[in-house]
Amino acid sequence: MNSVDIAIVGGGPAGLSAAIVASKLGARVTLIDDSERLGGQLVKQTHKFFGSKRHYCGTRGMDIAALLEKELRSLPAEILPGTSVVGLYGGRTLALASRERFNKLGFKCLIVATGAAENNLLLQNNDLPGVYGAGAVQTLMNVYGVRPGQRVLMVGSGNIGLIVSYQMIQAGIEVVAVVEALPRIGGYHVHAAKLARLGVPILTSHTILSALGKKEVEGAVICSVGKNFKPLMRAARKLKVDTICLAVGLTPLSELLWQSGCQMVYVPELGGHVAWHNENMQTSLCNVYLAGDVSGIEEASTAMLEGRVAGAHAAAQVLGPSPETSQVITESQSELSSIRKGPFGDKAASGKARLAECPLLAGPA
């Protein structure tokens, strides 16, 4: 059985950033990802990032993925693409499975950066072909060059819903409408304004009731909602669409953390159950860290910063503290704090504050 200083599960923005930092600080690192292509959600993002140059302002997500992978491959880190983690045993051993083999990997520290899964929505006929998650639509269009349909209803006006709607229009797909149950648009104004200029109606205080069709989506029924989000059936109307795209939030992929025995906490502002963790991204188990959406749903910029913090702390635990490690941690935590003080960081900041108030039942072991 091979053994490394730090095993990192997940090759998205958080995992790549953690691996780069830890490897630069001198730790022996192995990065594991179940996809053949590194980058996670970044590989399907064709839009340019906001923020500062340090946060890749003006660079497309798919290009950021390529830059991070190139940097990691220049370092003495082991990369295992196309490999799934199928178990965690004894708190120090991962079971790995690829197409070629099954093997085990020992570690001193573990960083979980597994990201999040798309939420589904309960509606009549939601199992018809033509009902997609927004991430699946992005993958079809931006990775494989396949249009999911011709006339689409987008459900959800968060950043993902707005961005994917615009990307579909760029691909020659008609977005018939965007419906949002809340009385306000959830995403950045700049994304919503693009759709408005193109004549796409964004219907707040609206929801979808059902998908129409026998063998595939042929339409959708939508209506406005009243108090407590109760559908106003008298206002129901049909839309002729062949695709329904759901962008209704994400849930952290925390199965590995459950199996590890970490203390889990339910925090709605962070997307559901997350492992208890401190500002160092350390869980209730002293050698297990986490970063990115698995620690709470946020943007890719915060995922990269959390990855840097987790990578530096794990390296310090294995190799001992150093001025370089302290600098990475201080700078990254400062930037995280600054982002969460912005107009769209309040939800995550509230969730992290709520998490900090949760008592550590037994702790870091």
Side-chain angles (χ1 to χ4, degrees), residues 30-328:
T30 295
L31 177 74
I32 307 140
D33 194 272
D34 58 4
S35 175
E36 293 290 346
R37 182 177 176 184
L38 298 181
Q41 297 301 312
L42 291 174
V43 302
K44 62 182 78 169
Q45 295 177 352
T46 59
H47 60 280
K48 294 181 179 180
F49 274 39
F50 297 115
S52 64
K53 275 193 173 182
R54 187 176 175 84
H55 300 152
Y56 299 97
C57 174
T59 306
R60 300 184 188 279
M62 58 186 186
D63 295 328
I64 297 172
L67 290 170
L68 291 173
E69 181 178 357
K70 182 179 179 181
E71 185 174 4
L72 181 59
R73 291 190 180 279
S74 71
L75 299 168
E78 181 183 29
I79 302 172
L80 300 179
T83 302
S84 298
V85 174
V86 295
L88 171 61
Y89 304 102
R92 298 281 178 173
T93 304
L94 293 174
L96 309 179
S98 66
R99 291 183 179 181
E100 292 77 27
R101 60 179 179 165
F102 177 91
N103 63 324
K104 293 182 288 185
L105 178 69
F107 60 84
K108 295 177 182 177
C109 284
L110 173 67
I111 299 176
V112 178
T114 45
E118 290 188 289
N119 294 336
N120 207 335
L121 192 63
L122 291 176
L123 62 112
Q124 188 176 0
N125 295 327
N126 70 347
D127 59 345
L128 276 176
V131 179
Y132 294 93
V137 167
Q138 271 192 315
T139 301
L140 284 172
M141 292 192 306
N142 300 341
V143 178
Y144 298 108
V146 175
R147 291 176 182 166
Q150 296 299 321
R151 288 173 55 86
V152 178
L153 171 66
M154 174 62 73
V155 182
S157 71
N159 281 328
I160 294 176
L162 298 174
I163 289 169
V164 174
S165 293
Y166 186 71
Q167 290 174 352
M168 285 192 287
I169 293 171
Q170 289 179 309
I173 300 167
E174 180 183 358
V175 178
V176 176
V178 177
V179 295
E180 170 59 61
L182 293 173
R184 62 187 181 280
I185 293 170
Y188 295 160
H189 174 76
V190 64
H191 298 314
K194 288 181 180 179
L195 297 183
R197 286 196 297 270
L198 293 169
V200 178
I202 302 177
L203 307 175
T204 55
S205 296
H206 277 69
T207 190
I208 180 172
L209 296 176
S210 64
L212 303 175
K214 294 183 178 180
K215 295 184 177 180
E216 59 190 24
V217 171
E218 297 174 1
V221 179
I222 66 170
C223 73
S224 56
V225 297
K227 293 182 179 179
N228 300 319
F229 302 104
K230 184 177 180 180
L232 302 176
M233 302 303 294
R234 66 181 182 276
R237 59 189 174 106
K238 296 180 181 179
L239 297 178
K240 186 176 181 181
V241 296
D242 58 18
T243 305
I244 296 169
C245 184
L246 304 176
V248 290
L250 303 168
T251 298
L253 279 169
S254 54
E255 290 85 352
L256 192 60
L257 293 163
W258 282 102
Q259 186 179 1
S260 73
C262 288
Q263 178 181 330
M264 305 298 292
V265 183
Y266 182 74
V267 184
E269 296 91 337
L270 298 180
H273 280 99
V274 297
W276 180 95
H277 57 277
N278 56 28
E279 65 176 3
N280 302 332
M281 307 311 296
Q282 185 182 44
T283 70
S284 59
L285 303 177
C286 68
N287 71 322
V288 178
Y289 296 79
L290 75 171
D293 280 349
V294 74
S295 76
I297 307 303
E298 292 188 78
E299 302 292 334
S301 297
T302 55
M304 287 184 275
L305 289 168
E306 285 190 342
R308 291 177 61 80
V309 172
H313 268 285
Q317 183 172 335
V318 173
L319 304 173
S322 69
E324 294 81 7
T325 301
S326 298
Q327 182 177 354
V328 170

